[in-house]
Amino acid sequence: LFKPGQDFKERLNREKVPAIETCALNCDWETTVKLKNELIKLLPKDFLNPIPIVADLINEDDLVILVIPIDKEAPKGRLILPQQQTIREILDKKAMCLIVNEKNLFNSIHNLKQKPRAIITDSQVFKEVSGQAPDDILVTSFSILFARAKGDLEELVKGAQVLDNLKPDDKILIAEACTHHPIGEDIGRIKIPRWINQRIGGKINFDVFSGHNFPEDIKRYKLIIHCGACMLNRKEMLSRILECKEKGIAITNYGVAIAYLHDALDKALQPFNLFHRSGRMHPKF
């Protein structure tokens, strides 16, 4: 519409705002490439190189066991997105994966010729899986891997510790990023609330919020338990965690909370050298 004046250009330069002068009416390919390259320079590092789910924790030719229970909540004829994405990363790493359910895990481990590098399980059977796994095999869950890949694992671990400070009539928000149709023993609506009530010996008030937007009034909750965020990008999940931190509300996710409730969180965090009692963290096995 108009050619920017010299004062405007100087202001951009002073404020170190990248700028390319062009016009849509006579823009050539060279200018388009230049503009694209400047945009790429502004991207956060994890936009082009996102934090992996599992690829940096395994080596080529490693064997990883994935435990996937097939129950009423399992979608008919397919695997859920976190399981698909984990399998793809293992294959891209040129490693191997063996997929079993929790009922045949023990026999599968003892029939193998190669020792598994790790076992990754669905959160809801974590207690059963960790009880079957030998002590020298690392065990974690899909949800805990996603806590790291999509959010802030340390912050979500800190949030889980609030579970021991809950009192009857406290409020907890169960936050789901997708709008799936719950069936039977839904993990967020039925199982997690049941385990929490059993742990504290009283009745907690639970609200469930599903959808892409985050509820505005979160200050009334003692704790927010979030899903694995497979339908959110990392920026969206970090934004939710930051909002909770700013408002002084503890937040954790399904997998971290479940492992904590079953007194198995330290075992689930071993792949990251993170221990919830000390808060130490390093990114490798």
Side-chain angles (χ1 to χ4, degrees), residues 42-285:
L42 299 175
L43 291 172
K45 289 182 180 179
D46 62 7
F47 188 91
L48 294 175
N49 299 296
I51 294 175
I53 299 166
V54 69
D56 63 326
L57 303 177
I58 59 176
N59 300 310
E60 186 175 331
D61 293 327
D62 278 346
L63 174 62
V64 181
I65 297 180
L66 306 181
V67 182
I68 300 175
I70 303 300
D71 54 19
K72 291 181 180 179
E73 283 294 299
K76 187 175 181 179
R78 63 180 178 86
L79 301 177
I80 62 174
L81 187 58
Q83 296 161 358
Q84 296 173 34
Q85 292 177 332
T86 303
I87 292 170
R88 178 57 194 263
E89 276 204 9
I90 293 170
L91 296 176
D92 286 341
K93 191 71 176 184
K94 296 183 174 59
M96 300 171 285
C97 62
L98 171 65
I99 302 173
V100 302
N101 63 40
E102 71 280 13
K103 304 302 180 186
N104 54 30
L105 173 62
F106 183 84
N107 287 336
S108 298
I109 293 173
H110 290 277
N111 287 334
L112 290 171
K113 293 183 179 179
Q114 178 177 340
K115 179 183 174 182
R117 172 71 163 165
I119 298 172
I120 302 170
T121 179
D122 186 284
S123 296
Q124 60 187 313
V125 293
F126 194 97
K127 185 177 182 180
E128 188 173 348
V129 168
S130 62
Q132 295 182 60
D135 292 338
D136 60 346
I137 298 178
L138 295 163
V139 180
T140 192
S141 72
F142 293 102
S143 189
I144 289 176
L145 289 173
F146 270 73
R148 181 184 73 131
K150 290 296 184 81
D152 182 336
L153 180 56
E154 283 191 86
E155 195 63 32
L156 297 176
V157 168
K158 290 177 185 176
Q161 297 178 50
V162 172
L163 289 164
D164 277 336
N165 300 324
L166 293 173
K167 299 175 183 177
D169 295 326
D170 278 342
K171 287 181 175 291
I172 289 180
L173 175 67
I174 304 292
E176 295 178 339
C178 66
T179 53
H180 75 281
H181 297 289
I183 303 172
E185 292 278 281
D186 185 77
I187 187 68
R189 291 166 173 80
I190 305 297
K191 291 185 177 179
I192 290 177
R194 180 199 300 150
W195 290 327
I196 291 175
N197 284 328
Q198 288 173 348
R199 176 125 179 166
I200 71 163
K203 188 170 178 58
I204 297 291
N205 294 314
F206 292 92
D207 289 341
V208 178
F209 185 90
S210 299
H212 201 64
N213 296 320
F214 207 43
E216 294 182 7
D217 182 19
I218 61 172
K219 287 188 175 181
R220 54 202 176 107
Y221 297 107
K222 189 75 176 285
L223 174 66
I224 294 174
I225 304 179
H226 205 286
C227 68
C230 66
M231 300 303 292
L232 298 179
N233 61 43
R234 179 170 167 78
K235 183 179 178 181
E236 288 174 302
M237 187 60 194
L238 286 174
S239 176
R240 294 184 174 193
I241 293 172
L242 179 60
E243 182 180 347
C244 290
K245 287 178 68 174
E246 289 175 342
K247 294 180 179 178
I249 308 300
I251 182 170
T252 188
N253 87 342
Y254 284 14
V256 177
I258 291 170
Y260 190 91
L261 290 167
H262 290 142
D263 298 318
L265 184 55
D266 275 341
K267 186 174 182 65
L269 295 175
Q270 281 180 357
F272 316 99
N273 287 331
L274 174 63
F275 304 93
H276 80 267
R277 296 185 186 90
S278 64
R280 293 187 295 105
M281 182 175 179
H282 305 283
K284 295 276 187 180
F285 274 125

Side-chain angles (χ1 to χ4, degrees), residues 1-16:
L1 296 178
F2 62 89
K3 189 176 179 67
Q6 188 60 32
D7 289 346
F8 181 69
K9 294 179 186 179
E10 290 177 359
R11 179 186 166 194
L12 292 177
N13 189 48
R14 281 196 310 272
E15 297 183 9
K16 298 181 179 178

